[in-house]
Amino acid sequence: MILAVCLNPALDVTYDVPGLEVGAAQRVRRVTRRAGGKGVNVASVLHAQGTQVIVTGPIGGSIGRELVTDLDDRGIAHDLLRIGGSTRQTVTVFSDDSATVLNEPGPLLTEAEWSAFTDRFADLAQRADLVTISGSLPGGVPAGAYAELIGIAHRQDTVVILDCEGEALVEALHAAPDIVKINEHEAASTAEIETDSVEGVFAAAEELHVQGAAEVVITRGASGVVARTHDGRFVGTTMRTVSGNPTGAGDAFTAGLAATTGAASPWRERLRRASAWAAGAVATSVAGEIDATVARDPESSSIVEEYEAS
Amino acid sequence: MILAVCLNPALDVTYDVPGLEVGAAQRVRRVTRRAGGKGVNVASVLHAQGTQVIVTGPIGGSIGRELVTDLDDRGIAHDLLRIGGSTRQTVTVFSDDSATVLNEPGPLLTEAEWSAFTDRFADLAQRADLVTISGSLPGGVPAGAYAELIGIAHRQDTVVILDCEGEALVEALHAAPDIVKINEHEAASTAEIETDSVEGVFAAAEELHVQGAAEVVITRGASGVVARTHDGRFVGTTMRTVSGNPTGAGDAFTAGLAATTGAASPWRERLRRASAWAAGAVATSVAGEIDATVARDPESSSIVEEYEAS
């Protein structure tokens, strides 16, 4: 079983509006409401691809109840901690060709709630083959929250894939996560190295490794992926450009890495699979879903080669 | 008891955003969530001013449950009909000096639900001294829905104040509502008469009277109010300009008219009171609330004079 951690889940509300004008009132044509947050998206993709997964995180208020109902409706297993605060919603307004996103701040956790969550996590991580940790930290938890979770997982010999940014990432690196999967912008900011060339991205990956990440995978959007692993350094190049909605592509990539960990797949194969799932996510309009036809065809999506510095 | 009808209630969500940029992601600084919809705002103002009021309408889904909880928290009495569809939310984004509003379409009512609502309404209207009907019609109900409710109220000798626009208003006029309270833009559109002069507004009021409204009150924002009543024609002029948020001012005006109906107040007094409540609503940032200091002082808010055509 894979355990997907989502400390800051959200109900993702999307509006279809003929044209968004600031300062005016507009009628929404179509509304969708759906459980979201990066960890929920990872779990959603894994579940859709037939991998056993449980999503965990704190949940509260009436939006939290609606989120749980949606997980149940979609058949995604969960083990969530009820908190006093209210789960946030995000509102994405699709108008013409643009997406305008409003991110609510989310609830504050009390010290007692965070302590209760770490106990819950320890129980779940013991039963898990692998843990994914994705997204931002909610208010009230310590900056080293992810380091704490990684420490708990490692004491039970459970592998952790981490996808976060900023101070949460910097602090988490101290706990030596097994795989850090981030995008090139996050890598540039944390490593303080320019990532506009493949050499730069590898230099950033090396720096993140020095800071504590055992293996590092850096996604570059349509330009592909770069990986610094125990088996060597790899460059993945996108062969087929998929147009669509990139929201959730990074989470589908993480899901692809998670799904291939236990199978002792070589890194070349893992990166191909994860890239194909990310392409499948771009091909759908909804975060947490992937287009099965695109995802099923890693060969035509990308080629992955060992990298030799020139 | 006053019965406030709200066929299309909403949970009003407001976001405080540093600057709203279309096509970008932005963090919301502050979130408020509050029961709304024009009929709920009318009930809220009446309740705050010490008048006994019950709000009725259809309600459903998790947003509907949250709306009911908010009414309970605020002590506003309600008798709502549970429906299968989900109550809508509206999102208002306050950024810099602008308010951007996203109005969800709201649920569809089934024929059986509309029939159950009219039964419920008949019971409630029998116990009411006055009925206010405010706002848009939800999907699924007949265009003549308000005419139907007015007919039921009149068979029980209950007076109706109506505030709506478009086809819902045109159809409702056939049932001879006791007072139609609309703004000058809605009046111009329904009467097909220009309302850019006091004469024009009175001509529109006369046309609405001919079409069925026993008495007509047309609000003109900061320019005041015009009334065509059984006691004559009146013009109210705003004496003190209040700056603030005009959302909900029309509902506070309706509440002011409703609160003075049973008291056999002369029209001059009613219009002064309603204008003061509307000014009190502008002075607060939240629809459904009024500034008590402003509202308590009708004399300094406006003067109301009998109108003699020149």
Side-chain angles (χ1 to χ4, degrees):
Chain A
M1 175 268 286
I2 292 171
L3 179 64
V5 174
C6 194
L7 286 193
N8 211 358
L11 188 77
D12 287 336
V13 179
T14 58
Y15 288 159
D16 179 6
V17 167
L20 178 58
E21 194 189 331
V22 173
Q26 28 246 310
R27 278 183 202 281
V28 175
R29 266 196 303 223
R30 217 170 64 91
V31 182
T32 64
R33 301 170 68 83
R34 193 181 152 89
K38 290 175 71 68
V40 168
N41 293 342
V42 170
S44 171
V45 169
L46 285 167
H47 172 69
Q49 295 297 312
T51 302
Q52 210 198 335
V53 60
I54 294 177
V55 62
T56 187
I59 203 95
S62 67
I63 292 180
R65 274 192 297 276
E66 185 175 346
L67 193 153
V68 169
T69 302
D70 187 53
L71 291 177
D72 289 338
D73 289 348
R74 286 155 65 189
I76 300 170
H78 53 82
D79 192 327
L80 301 156
L81 181 79
R82 280 263 155 217
I83 59 167
S86 290
T87 297
R88 67 199 173 114
Q89 71 179 355
T90 67
V91 175
T92 302
V93 185
F94 289 107
S95 58
D96 306 323
D97 276 343
S98 75
T100 307
V101 184
L102 297 153
N103 283 313
E104 293 188 4
L108 287 180
L109 269 70
T110 64
E111 238 174 272
E113 286 168 343
W114 173 242
S115 168
F117 180 76
T118 56
D119 289 349
R120 178 82 63 104
F121 174 79
D123 286 346
L124 290 165
Q126 199 162 22
R127 293 156 39 203
D129 303 307
L130 181 144
V131 171
T132 66
I133 298 178
S134 311
S136 58
L137 291 178
V141 307
Y146 286 154
E148 207 174 328
L149 298 185
I150 294 163
I152 293 169
H154 282 176
R155 283 195 286 283
Q156 299 164 350
D157 291 322
T158 307
V159 168
V160 176
I161 303 180
L162 175 69
D163 176 7
C164 68
E165 60 181 309
E167 200 191 348
L169 173 58
V170 171
E171 293 292 325
L173 289 171
H174 298 314
D178 301 276
I179 301 176
V180 167
K181 187 252 106 193
I182 53 179
N183 70 40
E184 57 185 336
H185 309 295
E186 294 156 0
S189 147
T190 303
E192 296 182 339
I193 289 173
E194 294 276 351
T195 55
D196 39 14
S197 66
V198 172
E199 290 71 28
V201 183
F202 271 114
E206 194 59 37
E207 172 62 23
L208 291 166
H209 172 66
V210 168
Q211 289 183 26
E215 300 187 298
V216 181
V217 179
I218 300 177
T219 54
R220 309 186 68 206
S223 304
V225 60
V226 147
R228 190 234 175 266
T229 77
H230 297 322
D231 298 338
R233 299 196 292 177
F234 298 93
V235 178
T237 310
T238 304
M239 296 305 286
R240 182 171 58 179
T241 305
V242 178
S243 63
N245 175 16
T247 310
D251 303 326
F253 193 100
T254 300
L257 287 186
T260 49
T261 303
S265 314
W267 263 102
R268 207 186 280 264
E269 168 54 27
R270 297 183 72 182
L271 293 171
R272 256 206 303 254
R273 172 80 69 95
S275 299
W277 285 20
V282 173
T284 67
S285 61
V286 179
E289 285 186 5
I290 64 179
D291 182 301
T293 314
V294 174
R296 207 181 294 128
D297 189 15
E299 271 65 33
S300 70
S301 286
S302 62
I303 51 166
V304 177
E305 295 169 300
E306 207 143 343
Y307 175 72
E308 289 305 324
S310 52
Chain B
M1 176 267 286
I2 291 170
L3 178 65
V5 174
C6 193
L7 286 193
N8 211 357
L11 188 77
D12 288 335
V13 178
T14 58
Y15 288 160
D16 178 5
V17 166
L20 177 58
E21 194 190 331
V22 173
Q26 28 245 311
R27 278 181 203 283
V28 175
R29 267 195 302 223
R30 215 170 66 91
V31 182
T32 64
R33 300 170 68 84
R34 194 180 152 90
K38 289 175 71 67
V40 168
N41 293 342
V42 170
S44 171
V45 169
L46 285 167
H47 172 70
Q49 295 297 310
T51 301
Q52 211 198 332
V53 61
I54 293 177
V55 62
T56 188
I59 203 95
S62 67
I63 292 180
R65 274 193 296 276
E66 186 176 347
L67 194 153
V68 170
T69 303
D70 187 53
L71 291 177
D72 288 338
D73 289 348
R74 287 155 65 188
I76 300 169
H78 53 82
D79 192 327
L80 302 156
L81 181 78
R82 280 263 156 216
I83 58 167
S86 290
T87 297
R88 68 198 171 112
Q89 71 179 355
T90 67
V91 175
T92 302
V93 185
F94 289 107
S95 58
D96 305 323
D97 275 343
S98 75
T100 307
V101 184
L102 297 153
N103 283 313
E104 292 188 3
L108 286 180
L109 268 70
T110 64
E111 239 175 89
E113 286 168 342
W114 174 242
S115 168
F117 180 76
T118 56
D119 289 349
R120 178 82 63 104
F121 174 79
D123 287 345
L124 290 164
Q126 200 162 23
R127 294 154 40 202
D129 304 307
L130 182 143
V131 170
T132 66
I133 298 179
S134 311
S136 59
L137 291 177
V141 307
Y146 286 155
E148 206 174 329
L149 299 185
I150 294 164
I152 293 169
H154 281 176
R155 282 196 286 284
Q156 299 164 349
D157 291 324
T158 306
V159 169
V160 176
I161 303 179
L162 175 69
D163 176 6
C164 67
E165 59 182 309
E167 201 192 349
L169 174 58
V170 171
E171 292 291 325
L173 289 170
H174 298 314
D178 303 276
I179 301 175
V180 166
K181 188 252 105 191
I182 52 178
N183 69 41
E184 57 185 336
H185 308 295
E186 295 156 359
S189 145
T190 303
E192 295 181 340
I193 289 172
E194 295 275 351
T195 55
D196 40 14
S197 66
V198 172
E199 292 71 27
V201 183
F202 271 114
E206 195 59 36
E207 173 61 23
L208 291 166
H209 171 66
V210 169
Q211 289 183 24
E215 301 186 299
V216 180
V217 178
I218 300 177
T219 54
R220 310 186 67 207
S223 304
V225 61
V226 147
R228 190 236 174 264
T229 78
H230 297 322
D231 299 337
R233 299 196 289 178
F234 298 93
V235 178
T237 309
T238 305
M239 295 306 286
R240 183 172 56 180
T241 306
V242 178
S243 65
N245 175 16
T247 311
D251 303 325
F253 193 100
T254 299
L257 287 185
T260 49
T261 303
S265 313
W267 263 102
R268 207 187 281 262
E269 168 54 27
R270 297 183 73 181
L271 294 172
R272 257 205 303 254
R273 171 81 68 94
S275 299
W277 285 19
V282 173
T284 67
S285 60
V286 179
E289 285 187 4
I290 65 178
D291 182 300
T293 315
V294 174
R296 206 180 294 127
D297 189 15
E299 272 66 33
S300 69
S301 287
S302 63
I303 53 167
V304 178
E305 295 169 300
E306 207 143 343
Y307 175 74
E308 290 304 324
S310 53

mmCIF file with all atom_site columns, all heavy atoms in Angstrom, chain B residues 84-99:
data_model
loop_
_atom_site.group_PDB
_atom_site.id
_atom_site.type_symbol
_atom_site.label_atom_id
_atom_site.label_alt_id
_atom_site.label_comp_id
_atom_site.label_asym_id
_atom_site.label_entity_id
_atom_site.label_seq_id
_atom_site.pdbx_PDB_ins_code
_atom_site.Cartn_x
_atom_site.Cartn_y
_atom_site.Cartn_z
_atom_site.occupancy
_atom_site.B_iso_or_equiv
_atom_site.pdbx_formal_charge
_atom_site.auth_seq_id
_atom_site.auth_comp_id
_atom_site.auth_asym_id
_atom_site.auth_atom_id
_atom_site.pdbx_PDB_model_num
ATOM 1   N N   . GLY B 1 84 ? -33.286 18.221 -3.328 1.00 0.00 ? 84 GLY B N   1
ATOM 2   C CA  . GLY B 1 84 ? -32.212 17.322 -3.752 1.00 0.00 ? 84 GLY B CA  1
ATOM 3   C C   . GLY B 1 84 ? -31.003 18.055 -4.305 1.00 0.00 ? 84 GLY B C   1
ATOM 4   O O   . GLY B 1 84 ? -29.873 17.594 -4.152 1.00 0.00 ? 84 GLY B O   1
ATOM 5   N N   . GLY B 1 85 ? -31.225 19.202 -4.956 1.00 0.00 ? 85 GLY B N   1
ATOM 6   C CA  . GLY B 1 85 ? -30.120 19.977 -5.543 1.00 0.00 ? 85 GLY B CA  1
ATOM 7   C C   . GLY B 1 85 ? -29.302 20.678 -4.469 1.00 0.00 ? 85 GLY B C   1
ATOM 8   O O   . GLY B 1 85 ? -29.650 20.650 -3.288 1.00 0.00 ? 85 GLY B O   1
ATOM 9   N N   . SER B 1 86 ? -28.209 21.288 -4.893 1.00 0.00 ? 86 SER B N   1
ATOM 10  C CA  . SER B 1 86 ? -27.291 21.930 -3.956 1.00 0.00 ? 86 SER B CA  1
ATOM 11  C C   . SER B 1 86 ? -27.418 23.448 -4.008 1.00 0.00 ? 86 SER B C   1
ATOM 12  O O   . SER B 1 86 ? -27.379 24.032 -5.082 1.00 0.00 ? 86 SER B O   1
ATOM 13  C CB  . SER B 1 86 ? -25.844 21.555 -4.287 1.00 0.00 ? 86 SER B CB  1
ATOM 14  O OG  . SER B 1 86 ? -25.618 20.210 -3.976 1.00 0.00 ? 86 SER B OG  1
ATOM 15  N N   . THR B 1 87 ? -27.551 24.056 -2.845 1.00 0.00 ? 87 THR B N   1
ATOM 16  C CA  . THR B 1 87 ? -27.548 25.510 -2.734 1.00 0.00 ? 87 THR B CA  1
ATOM 17  C C   . THR B 1 87 ? -26.234 26.051 -3.299 1.00 0.00 ? 87 THR B C   1
ATOM 18  O O   . THR B 1 87 ? -25.187 25.453 -3.144 1.00 0.00 ? 87 THR B O   1
ATOM 19  C CB  . THR B 1 87 ? -27.732 25.902 -1.263 1.00 0.00 ? 87 THR B CB  1
ATOM 20  O OG1 . THR B 1 87 ? -29.010 25.428 -0.835 1.00 0.00 ? 87 THR B OG1 1
ATOM 21  C CG2 . THR B 1 87 ? -27.660 27.413 -1.061 1.00 0.00 ? 87 THR B CG2 1
ATOM 22  N N   . ARG B 1 88 ? -26.334 27.208 -3.955 1.00 0.00 ? 88 ARG B N   1
ATOM 23  C CA  . ARG B 1 88 ? -25.164 27.804 -4.616 1.00 0.00 ? 88 ARG B CA  1
ATOM 24  C C   . ARG B 1 88 ? -24.335 28.631 -3.642 1.00 0.00 ? 88 ARG B C   1
ATOM 25  O O   . ARG B 1 88 ? -24.785 28.982 -2.566 1.00 0.00 ? 88 ARG B O   1
ATOM 26  C CB  . ARG B 1 88 ? -25.647 28.707 -5.760 1.00 0.00 ? 88 ARG B CB  1
ATOM 27  C CG  . ARG B 1 88 ? -26.391 29.935 -5.249 1.00 0.00 ? 88 ARG B CG  1
ATOM 28  C CD  . ARG B 1 88 ? -27.247 30.597 -6.315 1.00 0.00 ? 88 ARG B CD  1
ATOM 29  N NE  . ARG B 1 88 ? -28.071 31.624 -5.703 1.00 0.00 ? 88 ARG B NE  1
ATOM 30  C CZ  . ARG B 1 88 ? -27.925 32.941 -5.921 1.00 0.00 ? 88 ARG B CZ  1
ATOM 31  N NH1 . ARG B 1 88 ? -27.035 33.370 -6.784 1.00 0.00 ? 88 ARG B NH1 1
ATOM 32  N NH2 . ARG B 1 88 ? -28.690 33.808 -5.298 1.00 0.00 ? 88 ARG B NH2 1
ATOM 33  N N   . GLN B 1 89 ? -23.106 28.949 -4.055 1.00 0.00 ? 89 GLN B N   1
ATOM 34  C CA  . GLN B 1 89 ? -22.355 29.977 -3.359 1.00 0.00 ? 89 GLN B CA  1
ATOM 35  C C   . GLN B 1 89 ? -22.099 31.118 -4.345 1.00 0.00 ? 89 GLN B C   1
ATOM 36  O O   . GLN B 1 89 ? -22.146 30.937 -5.547 1.00 0.00 ? 89 GLN B O   1
ATOM 37  C CB  . GLN B 1 89 ? -21.045 29.448 -2.764 1.00 0.00 ? 89 GLN B CB  1
ATOM 38  C CG  . GLN B 1 89 ? -19.956 29.098 -3.754 1.00 0.00 ? 89 GLN B CG  1
ATOM 39  C CD  . GLN B 1 89 ? -18.658 28.599 -3.093 1.00 0.00 ? 89 GLN B CD  1
ATOM 40  O OE1 . GLN B 1 89 ? -18.517 28.590 -1.876 1.00 0.00 ? 89 GLN B OE1 1
ATOM 41  N NE2 . GLN B 1 89 ? -17.719 28.179 -3.897 1.00 0.00 ? 89 GLN B NE2 1
ATOM 42  N N   . THR B 1 90 ? -21.906 32.315 -3.813 1.00 0.00 ? 90 THR B N   1
ATOM 43  C CA  . THR B 1 90 ? -21.399 33.407 -4.623 1.00 0.00 ? 90 THR B CA  1
ATOM 44  C C   . THR B 1 90 ? -20.014 33.738 -4.070 1.00 0.00 ? 90 THR B C   1
ATOM 45  O O   . THR B 1 90 ? -19.787 33.609 -2.870 1.00 0.00 ? 90 THR B O   1
ATOM 46  C CB  . THR B 1 90 ? -22.265 34.674 -4.516 1.00 0.00 ? 90 THR B CB  1
ATOM 47  O OG1 . THR B 1 90 ? -22.159 35.198 -3.191 1.00 0.00 ? 90 THR B OG1 1
ATOM 48  C CG2 . THR B 1 90 ? -23.731 34.382 -4.813 1.00 0.00 ? 90 THR B CG2 1
ATOM 49  N N   . VAL B 1 91 ? -19.109 34.106 -4.943 1.00 0.00 ? 91 VAL B N   1
ATOM 50  C CA  . VAL B 1 91 ? -17.768 34.502 -4.502 1.00 0.00 ? 91 VAL B CA  1
ATOM 51  C C   . VAL B 1 91 ? -17.556 35.962 -4.896 1.00 0.00 ? 91 VAL B C   1
ATOM 52  O O   . VAL B 1 91 ? -17.708 36.315 -6.066 1.00 0.00 ? 91 VAL B O   1
ATOM 53  C CB  . VAL B 1 91 ? -16.682 33.618 -5.152 1.00 0.00 ? 91 VAL B CB  1
ATOM 54  C CG1 . VAL B 1 91 ? -15.281 34.124 -4.782 1.00 0.00 ? 91 VAL B CG1 1
ATOM 55  C CG2 . VAL B 1 91 ? -16.844 32.166 -4.721 1.00 0.00 ? 91 VAL B CG2 1
ATOM 56  N N   . THR B 1 92 ? -17.266 36.808 -3.910 1.00 0.00 ? 92 THR B N   1
ATOM 57  C CA  . THR B 1 92 ? -16.948 38.214 -4.177 1.00 0.00 ? 92 THR B CA  1
ATOM 58  C C   . THR B 1 92 ? -15.493 38.448 -3.798 1.00 0.00 ? 92 THR B C   1
ATOM 59  O O   . THR B 1 92 ? -15.099 38.173 -2.668 1.00 0.00 ? 92 THR B O   1
ATOM 60  C CB  . THR B 1 92 ? -17.854 39.151 -3.364 1.00 0.00 ? 92 THR B CB  1
ATOM 61  O OG1 . THR B 1 92 ? -19.213 38.872 -3.706 1.00 0.00 ? 92 THR B OG1 1
ATOM 62  C CG2 . THR B 1 92 ? -17.560 40.606 -3.681 1.00 0.00 ? 92 THR B CG2 1
ATOM 63  N N   . VAL B 1 93 ? -14.709 38.913 -4.769 1.00 0.00 ? 93 VAL B N   1
ATOM 64  C CA  . VAL B 1 93 ? -13.284 39.149 -4.539 1.00 0.00 ? 93 VAL B CA  1
ATOM 65  C C   . VAL B 1 93 ? -13.069 40.654 -4.389 1.00 0.00 ? 93 VAL B C   1
ATOM 66  O O   . VAL B 1 93 ? -13.257 41.411 -5.340 1.00 0.00 ? 93 VAL B O   1
ATOM 67  C CB  . VAL B 1 93 ? -12.435 38.614 -5.711 1.00 0.00 ? 93 VAL B CB  1
ATOM 68  C CG1 . VAL B 1 93 ? -10.946 38.767 -5.400 1.00 0.00 ? 93 VAL B CG1 1
ATOM 69  C CG2 . VAL B 1 93 ? -12.782 37.160 -6.020 1.00 0.00 ? 93 VAL B CG2 1
ATOM 70  N N   . PHE B 1 94 ? -12.731 41.080 -3.175 1.00 0.00 ? 94 PHE B N   1
ATOM 71  C CA  . PHE B 1 94 ? -12.395 42.481 -2.943 1.00 0.00 ? 94 PHE B CA  1
ATOM 72  C C   . PHE B 1 94 ? -10.887 42.659 -3.155 1.00 0.00 ? 94 PHE B C   1
ATOM 73  O O   . PHE B 1 94 ? -10.087 42.012 -2.480 1.00 0.00 ? 94 PHE B O   1
ATOM 74  C CB  . PHE B 1 94 ? -12.765 42.923 -1.520 1.00 0.00 ? 94 PHE B CB  1
ATOM 75  C CG  . PHE B 1 94 ? -14.246 43.025 -1.288 1.00 0.00 ? 94 PHE B CG  1
ATOM 76  C CD1 . PHE B 1 94 ? -14.916 42.087 -0.515 1.00 0.00 ? 94 PHE B CD1 1
ATOM 77  C CD2 . PHE B 1 94 ? -14.981 44.051 -1.870 1.00 0.00 ? 94 PHE B CD2 1
ATOM 78  C CE1 . PHE B 1 94 ? -16.288 42.165 -0.305 1.00 0.00 ? 94 PHE B CE1 1
ATOM 79  C CE2 . PHE B 1 94 ? -16.353 44.144 -1.667 1.00 0.00 ? 94 PHE B CE2 1
ATOM 80  C CZ  . PHE B 1 94 ? -17.011 43.197 -0.892 1.00 0.00 ? 94 PHE B CZ  1
ATOM 81  N N   . SER B 1 95 ? -10.524 43.492 -4.128 1.00 0.00 ? 95 SER B N   1
ATOM 82  C CA  . SER B 1 95 ? -9.106  43.764 -4.389 1.00 0.00 ? 95 SER B CA  1
ATOM 83  C C   . SER B 1 95 ? -8.985  45.239 -4.716 1.00 0.00 ? 95 SER B C   1
ATOM 84  O O   . SER B 1 95 ? -9.767  45.770 -5.491 1.00 0.00 ? 95 SER B O   1
ATOM 85  C CB  . SER B 1 95 ? -8.602  42.917 -5.555 1.00 0.00 ? 95 SER B CB  1
ATOM 86  O OG  . SER B 1 95 ? -9.368  43.163 -6.716 1.00 0.00 ? 95 SER B OG  1
ATOM 87  N N   . ASP B 1 96 ? -7.996  45.880 -4.114 1.00 0.00 ? 96 ASP B N   1
ATOM 88  C CA  . ASP B 1 96 ? -7.836  47.327 -4.265 1.00 0.00 ? 96 ASP B CA  1
ATOM 89  C C   . ASP B 1 96 ? -9.215  47.957 -4.015 1.00 0.00 ? 96 ASP B C   1
ATOM 90  O O   . ASP B 1 96 ? -9.795  47.728 -2.968 1.00 0.00 ? 96 ASP B O   1
ATOM 91  C CB  . ASP B 1 96 ? -7.281  47.666 -5.650 1.00 0.00 ? 96 ASP B CB  1
ATOM 92  C CG  . ASP B 1 96 ? -5.976  46.905 -5.911 1.00 0.00 ? 96 ASP B CG  1
ATOM 93  O OD1 . ASP B 1 96 ? -5.194  46.736 -4.956 1.00 0.00 ? 96 ASP B OD1 1
ATOM 94  O OD2 . ASP B 1 96 ? -5.762  46.450 -7.041 1.00 0.00 ? 96 ASP B OD2 1
ATOM 95  N N   . ASP B 1 97 ? -9.739  48.695 -4.961 1.00 0.00 ? 97 ASP B N   1
ATOM 96  C CA  . ASP B 1 97 ? -11.037 49.328 -4.710 1.00 0.00 ? 97 ASP B CA  1
ATOM 97  C C   . ASP B 1 97 ? -12.177 48.657 -5.459 1.00 0.00 ? 97 ASP B C   1
ATOM 98  O O   . ASP B 1 97 ? -13.273 49.202 -5.546 1.00 0.00 ? 97 ASP B O   1
ATOM 99  C CB  . ASP B 1 97 ? -10.982 50.815 -5.115 1.00 0.00 ? 97 ASP B CB  1
ATOM 100 C CG  . ASP B 1 97 ? -10.412 51.643 -3.972 1.00 0.00 ? 97 ASP B CG  1
ATOM 101 O OD1 . ASP B 1 97 ? -10.380 51.125 -2.841 1.00 0.00 ? 97 ASP B OD1 1
ATOM 102 O OD2 . ASP B 1 97 ? -10.000 52.784 -4.221 1.00 0.00 ? 97 ASP B OD2 1
ATOM 103 N N   . SER B 1 98 ? -11.940 47.468 -6.012 1.00 0.00 ? 98 SER B N   1
ATOM 104 C CA  . SER B 1 98 ? -12.978 46.846 -6.837 1.00 0.00 ? 98 SER B CA  1
ATOM 105 C C   . SER B 1 98 ? -13.527 45.573 -6.198 1.00 0.00 ? 98 SER B C   1
ATOM 106 O O   . SER B 1 98 ? -12.861 44.923 -5.393 1.00 0.00 ? 98 SER B O   1
ATOM 107 C CB  . SER B 1 98 ? -12.420 46.532 -8.223 1.00 0.00 ? 98 SER B CB  1
ATOM 108 O OG  . SER B 1 98 ? -11.577 45.404 -8.143 1.00 0.00 ? 98 SER B OG  1
ATOM 109 N N   . ALA B 1 99 ? -14.765 45.256 -6.568 1.00 0.00 ? 99 ALA B N   1
ATOM 110 C CA  . ALA B 1 99 ? -15.397 44.018 -6.133 1.00 0.00 ? 99 ALA B CA  1
ATOM 111 C C   . ALA B 1 99 ? -15.749 43.213 -7.381 1.00 0.00 ? 99 ALA B C   1
ATOM 112 O O   . ALA B 1 99 ? -16.483 43.681 -8.246 1.00 0.00 ? 99 ALA B O   1
ATOM 113 C CB  . ALA B 1 99 ? -16.649 44.305 -5.316 1.00 0.00 ? 99 ALA B CB  1
#
